[in-house]
Each structure stands twice: as structure tokens, then as C-alpha cells.
Amino acid sequence: MDREKIIDFLNANYVSVFINHPILGKIDLWPLIRVQLYSQLIKNLENLSTSKDERKSTIFEKIVSIPSRLRSIAECFFIKKNERLLLGANSHRVDHEGSSFNRFFDPELTKNGLLLEYAGKRDVNYYSKTIELFEVLPIWSFFSGYNKYSIKEAELFKLRCLLDVVSKRFGCPFLNFESTILTSLRTIGKWENLFTFLLKKSRAQEVVALCYYSNPVFGAFLAASRIGVKKVDLQHGPQTSTHGAYGKWKYIFKNHNYLMPNEFWTWDESSAKTINDFTLNPEYHRSVVYGNDWIKYWKNKNSKMAIPNSLYLLSLQPLETPIPSDFLNFMAKTAGDGVFWWIRFHPRQTLLDYAFVKELLINHITNDESFFLDKGNEFPLPEILKNTSVHFTCFSGTALEAAEFNIPTYFLDSRACDLIVQRPKLFFWFRDFKIGWEKFEVE
């Protein structure tokens, strides 16, 4: 199924579920609903991996974590004045020079902003000061309460009608979707309450966040909207017309939406255009080309990694089939011909995914010295790119970062169709790839 057609269909049925819930004031919940609907449809239709590590904390671990939670709460109470609050997650980090860098905020934005993380695990070697809000939220909500949002029955009826239409069109049941939305509203209310305190205490003028469409950021943006603080979404990957959170917001940019960013800071003109094409009032929502600080930082550094030059980089994604079978055969053939493969995992892939791919490669590539598995946070991507000659991926946005180093990317999946047109001199289909001047050729 074409992702853009899914967005078009959801937009076409938008009117039937337009929600102006009285408790939320004049807040249109369509961003929350559309992103959740799109995400579930994509997972069902494209069989995207949803595996998670199911391990739960033991009672002992919970007791041991109490000092850390209390420290995080104290850090919130004694937060100092900051120009910006930067909101991200631990999964955005990478180890570099003995420190843990948030590759989107460090080192530039943290110079005049405080970094807050809504998910992850404390690392004593953080590059910049970081407050771990996920440790704070449960205790904060318990003692201070939170905004309890709900949806009236009349509005739930509209939502059910939409779900019925979408289910019939795509053949995907939405048995738990209603409860998912209500749970999201409850979680958003908790984050809103916490961020109302943090924004007032810090007197920040901006909130800059990764992935605005997560519940923590929705809550932060809701608080910022009520207080009058600027909201910014910082690009973290491709922003195309086929992305459910960025493409074709046909009905959302007419007025100010409390859940949406005021500005989208993009890496390039193409991403900015994706959003601005549907911005009817730039006073409320607009996109600007900000660039990629992490890439700029690395362009002025020398690589210190002892890894082979001219390696082949494969960027994986959380897909049911992470490496297509025909490409696996290609890897086996080229690895035996002296090519070194660097296989980089996506941050959302789990240890189970890692074990699966490792076994897959060992069974197909007999020379295990010809490839290396990178869990995604062990080495900075730009440092790998400095040693890369060719990049391969199904449809990962890593291609945009590779392009900054003039590295060609060959896509393995038709879902890259919206990406491939952005850099015609560097983006190609795998079928067009040739190697070694006669040694091997993909038909």
C-alpha cells in the first residue's frame, strides 16, 4: 500500500472526526489521532517489527533506583533560568570520546539550553547536563496530580465511525485504538503538568524537541502553548509527503494548534517544502532550514577510528525482513571479494533483532571478519561515514546524512520512492548498482 494514499484517505475522512473537546478548549486532537492511526496502519500493512524487550524491573532494582529518582526530582525543583529546554530520549545518544552525546542537541544547542530526556537510562558520562524526566513523572504525578482529559461520548462516536471506515478500507481491525487514545490523553496530561512547572521555573523562551508526535512532547507543547512559549520540532530523519507526522497536513495549519510545533527546523530545503506546502498561516506554523549540527561538527573533525577505509555501510530498520534475501546473497558474494561490510542497527531494534541478524549473516557469510555489527549507539554515524564508500538501506533517512558526505546511497525498497527524488545525483535504486568494474553486477 502506498503510504501517501493512506495519508490522503485519512485526510479525506478528517471532517467526520474533527474534535473540539470542551475540556481541551479549542484544541484539535487530529494530530494525535492521525499519527496514531497512520502508525498502526503502517505496522499492520507493512509488517513492521514491534518486538520489545519484555524484561521488567525487579523489586530490588526499583529500590536501588530511588536515590536516582529523588536526585532527578531535586534537579527539577532547582532548575535554573535557561533560554531553551531541549527534549529528547536516551536512544538518540552515541558514545564519543568518553562521553555520551545526544547527537541532535550536543554539542551546539546544549550551549544555551538544558537537556531533558523523557526515556532512557542514566549515564554518568553525559556530554552535557541532563535531567531524566522519566524518573520524575510517576512521583510528580502522584503527589501533584495532573490534567485529566477525556472525550465525551458524542465525540467517541465520531472516532468509532472513522475507525470503522478505515478498517473497512484497509482490512485492519482497531480493537484497542479507542483505549490507546484515551491512555495517550492521560499520559499527555501528566507531561503537561510537569512541563508547566519546568517552563515557568526555567523561564525558557523555547522548547526544542525530537519527535513532536510522542506523548511526552505533546504534553510539553500543550504546556508551552498555554504559557506562550515557542515550540520547535528538530528534524531527526526524512520529512517527506509519505511520513504520517510531517506530510500533507492539509487541515491542520489554518489556525494555531496547541499540539503542533510553531517551527519545524529541517535539514534541507526539500524537507522544509514538505511542510510549507501545506502551511496556510506561517504566523502559527512554518518550516525553516536549520541544518544538521551533528554533521557540521563532524565535518571539522578527523576520524580516529581504526576501521577499514572504503567500507560498505548497510543501515538497517525495524522491519520484519531487515535484509532482503537477494541483497543477503549480494553481501555474501562481495564479502568474499574483499569488501568489508559495516551493518548498523536502528535505535528501535532490540537485542532479539540483533541476535537474529547476527545468526543470519553467520549462516550466509562464512568469513565473519568481513563484517561488523554496530548496535547504533556505539559509534558516531558521521565517523563511520568518513570511512564509507557506498551506503545501502531499505529506505532509512541515514541516506540524507550520507549525502552530506557525498556518499551515494542505493535503496533496496520501493518505500524509498519519496526519498530518491531528493538527491538524484547521489540516490539510486539497488538494481542500478555496479561494483568493481566487471567483478560483479546487479542485474
Side-chain angles (χ1 to χ4, degrees):
M1 172 60 66
D2 188 318
R3 291 184 172 202
E4 196 164 354
K5 289 181 179 178
I6 291 176
I7 294 176
D8 288 339
F9 184 84
L10 294 179
N11 282 342
N13 289 274
Y14 162 81
V15 177
S16 66
V17 75
F18 186 93
I19 295 181
N20 282 326
H21 191 256
I23 293 180
L24 296 179
K26 296 182 179 180
I27 300 171
D28 176 10
L29 293 183
W30 182 237
L32 171 63
I33 293 170
R34 195 186 93 160
V35 168
Q36 295 268 21
L37 263 177
Y38 174 86
S39 177
Q40 189 161 336
L41 277 169
I42 292 301
K43 288 178 181 177
N44 290 341
L45 295 172
E46 298 184 358
N47 296 316
L48 295 184
S49 171
T50 56
S51 59
K52 296 181 180 179
D53 294 326
E54 298 295 336
R55 181 183 175 277
K56 296 182 178 180
S57 299
T58 64
I59 294 177
F60 175 76
E61 288 172 327
K62 289 180 179 179
I63 294 174
V64 170
S65 70
I66 290 176
S68 178
R69 288 180 181 272
L70 293 177
R71 181 171 64 248
S72 296
I73 292 174
E75 289 171 340
C76 287
F77 272 106
F78 291 99
I79 190 172
K80 295 181 181 179
K81 182 179 178 181
N82 278 277
E83 180 181 335
R84 293 185 178 120
L85 296 186
L86 311 170
L87 185 56
N90 191 270
S91 59
H92 304 143
R93 291 188 171 277
V94 64
D95 294 334
H96 171 54
E97 295 184 344
S99 295
S100 180
F101 279 65
N102 183 302
R103 63 183 185 275
F104 298 104
F105 296 130
D106 289 325
E108 291 302 318
L109 285 173
T110 49
K111 290 178 180 178
N112 59 359
L114 175 63
L115 182 53
L116 312 171
E117 292 188 340
Y118 55 79
K121 185 178 180 181
R122 179 175 289 276
D123 189 323
V124 294
N125 294 320
Y126 283 161
Y127 174 80
S128 56
K129 177 176 173 57
T130 303
I131 300 178
E132 294 177 327
L133 297 184
F134 66 92
E135 292 194 321
V136 175
L137 188 69
I139 299 176
W140 183 275
S141 300
F142 180 80
F143 285 103
S144 68
Y146 57 93
N147 298 326
K148 298 179 180 180
Y149 296 126
S150 60
I151 303 177
K152 288 186 175 180
E153 188 61 33
E155 303 297 343
L156 283 175
F157 177 76
K158 294 180 183 179
L159 178 58
R160 290 165 189 153
C161 289
L162 175 67
L163 294 177
D164 186 57
V165 170
V166 175
S167 180
K168 288 179 179 177
R169 172 64 179 85
F170 298 106
C172 296
F174 294 94
L175 301 177
N176 300 315
F177 189 83
E178 184 180 317
S179 62
T180 298
I181 293 297
L182 295 176
T183 299
S184 290
L185 285 177
R186 184 165 58 251
T187 304
I188 289 169
K190 293 179 180 180
W191 284 108
E192 180 196 3
N193 179 276
L194 175 56
F195 265 93
T196 297
F197 172 82
L198 294 173
L199 287 168
K200 290 181 177 179
K201 182 78 173 175
S202 66
R203 289 181 282 175
Q205 299 302 304
E206 288 183 343
V207 178
V208 183
L210 271 297
C211 306
Y212 80 86
Y213 44 91
S214 64
N215 289 334
V217 184
F218 272 144
F221 280 5
L222 185 53
S225 297
R226 296 195 189 282
I227 296 172
V229 173
K230 183 179 178 181
K231 306 164 293 180
V232 178
D233 176 87
L234 182 65
Q235 182 170 356
H236 66 285
Q239 293 183 350
T240 67
S241 60
T242 61
H243 194 303
Y246 298 101
K248 292 190 170 184
W249 276 112
K250 188 174 181 180
Y251 300 103
I252 209 66
F253 291 148
K254 293 180 181 179
N255 302 299
H256 177 218
N257 187 284
Y258 279 35
L259 298 178
M260 298 287 279
N262 298 122
E263 285 188 353
F264 296 82
W265 289 358
T266 66
W267 291 344
D268 52 27
E269 291 286 354
S270 178
S271 295
K273 186 176 185 300
T274 294
I275 295 163
N276 284 334
D277 278 351
F278 295 91
T279 300
L280 301 179
N281 193 334
E283 179 184 351
Y284 299 129
H285 306 286
R286 69 192 183 107
S287 183
V288 297
V289 178
Y290 173 80
N292 189 328
D293 282 341
W294 191 228
I295 295 296
K296 294 174 188 175
Y297 169 74
W298 273 96
K299 282 189 173 181
N300 297 318
K301 288 181 66 67
N302 294 320
S303 174
K304 298 179 181 179
M305 289 177 62
I307 60 175
N309 290 321
S310 302
L311 57 84
Y312 283 10
L313 171 64
L314 172 62
S315 297
L316 299 181
Q317 294 170 268
L319 305 173
E320 185 178 42
T321 305
I323 306 178
S325 57
D326 60 335
F327 191 74
L328 195 59
N329 294 332
F330 167 72
M331 291 178 67
K333 201 164 193 176
T334 53
D337 198 26
V339 171
F340 184 84
W341 282 92
W342 189 285
I343 298 97
R344 189 171 186 271
F345 284 77
H346 189 280
R348 286 203 307 271
Q349 288 179 286
T350 67
L351 292 175
L352 292 176
D353 297 320
Y354 182 87
F356 172 75
V357 171
K358 183 176 182 180
E359 183 177 1
L360 192 68
L361 291 170
I362 290 175
N363 289 337
H364 281 78
I365 303 177
T366 55
N367 180 11
D368 59 5
E369 295 183 356
S370 61
F371 67 86
F372 175 77
L373 299 183
D374 176 2
K375 293 180 180 178
N377 59 359
E378 299 172 286
F379 304 94
L381 175 61
E383 191 163 17
I384 301 166
L385 292 172
K386 279 178 171 283
N387 294 276
T388 298
S389 60
V390 188
H391 174 232
F392 301 90
T393 186
C394 283
F395 51 96
S396 170
T398 303
L400 297 178
E401 293 164 277
E404 292 295 322
F405 291 89
N406 292 315
I407 297 168
T409 292
Y410 289 84
F411 294 102
L412 318 177
D413 192 293
S414 61
R415 284 169 281 188
C417 60
D418 207 45
L419 263 175
I420 202 167
V421 298
Q422 295 189 15
R423 301 289 182 94
K425 294 183 179 179
L426 288 172
F427 292 173
F428 312 95
W429 294 113
F430 173 55
R431 62 174 179 267
D432 300 321
F433 180 71
K434 295 182 180 181
I435 177 177
W437 303 278
E438 312 295 334
K439 290 182 181 178
F440 185 90
E441 183 175 324
V442 177
E443 299 296 339

